[in-house]
Amino acid sequence: MSNLAIQFLNDEEQPVTQEAVDELILQIRNAQIKSALLALDEYGEEDFLYVEIENGCAALAFNTWDEKGNAQMYQPINPKYEKSQEDAPVNIGGQTPVLKRNMLDDLNLAAECVLHFAKTGELYSGLKWVEAE
């Protein structure tokens, strides 16, 4: 029995195991991966957390749907840049700009957010998360 909340990791071929999650966390901490997708369903289509690593920074996006089927995306707020409206040196999906206030410039913190989601299926409570505009 797995102690993980996620049922999908990156693609349908990758097994969802504690070892795979541990390897992902190590890769995030060391900037050895560009992106990852973790989902609560086995096909990666329901609630999911996406992380993109670029230029030593991470952009995280939690995607969910409300009861009416409308998509919602939440991103963390970096307390150091909370008021910034500048673009960050990292994008979501390689194309969607992220504001500096929504990027994490601490890859260890980004890894903690991903690990917390993998274990609980919930957003990391050590950061404020806001709905993307």
Side-chain angles (χ1 to χ4, degrees):
M1 181 84 180
S2 173
N3 62 344
L4 298 171
I6 61 168
Q7 294 183 32
F8 182 92
L9 181 59
N10 290 328
D11 63 55
E12 292 179 25
E13 304 297 317
Q14 183 163 4
V16 178
T17 64
Q18 186 63 54
E19 293 77 21
V21 170
D22 291 344
E23 178 63 25
L24 173 63
I25 297 306
L26 185 62
Q27 290 173 333
I28 292 171
R29 290 184 195 281
N30 294 314
Q32 295 173 330
I33 192 170
K34 286 205 52 85
S35 63
L37 174 68
L38 299 86
L40 299 182
D41 72 300
E42 62 185 299
Y43 303 108
E45 297 171 349
E46 298 297 325
D47 293 359
F48 63 87
L49 181 70
Y50 182 77
V51 60
E52 181 117 357
I53 309 286
E54 193 176 350
N55 300 313
C57 299
L60 280 77
F62 172 68
N63 291 274
T64 188
W65 287 261
D66 64 19
E67 56 279 344
K68 294 180 181 179
N70 298 316
Q72 297 172 302
M73 183 173 82
Y74 295 88
Q75 295 177 300
I77 295 290
N78 185 329
K80 290 194 299 190
Y81 306 110
E82 188 168 355
K83 303 285 186 207
S84 176
Q85 293 299 311
E86 295 176 59
D87 285 341
V90 62
N91 296 313
I92 285 289
Q95 59 189 6
T96 304
V98 172
L99 292 177
K100 196 171 185 179
R101 66 180 256 144
N102 299 117
M103 66 137 194
L104 299 180
D105 55 354
D106 179 346
L107 295 182
N108 288 317
L109 179 57
E112 286 302 313
C113 292
V114 171
L115 181 59
H116 183 79
F117 183 79
K119 288 181 175 181
T120 67
E122 298 173 358
L123 297 177
Y124 180 71
S125 62
L127 289 171
K128 183 166 94 175
W129 294 76
V130 295
E131 189 168 1
E133 297 174 12

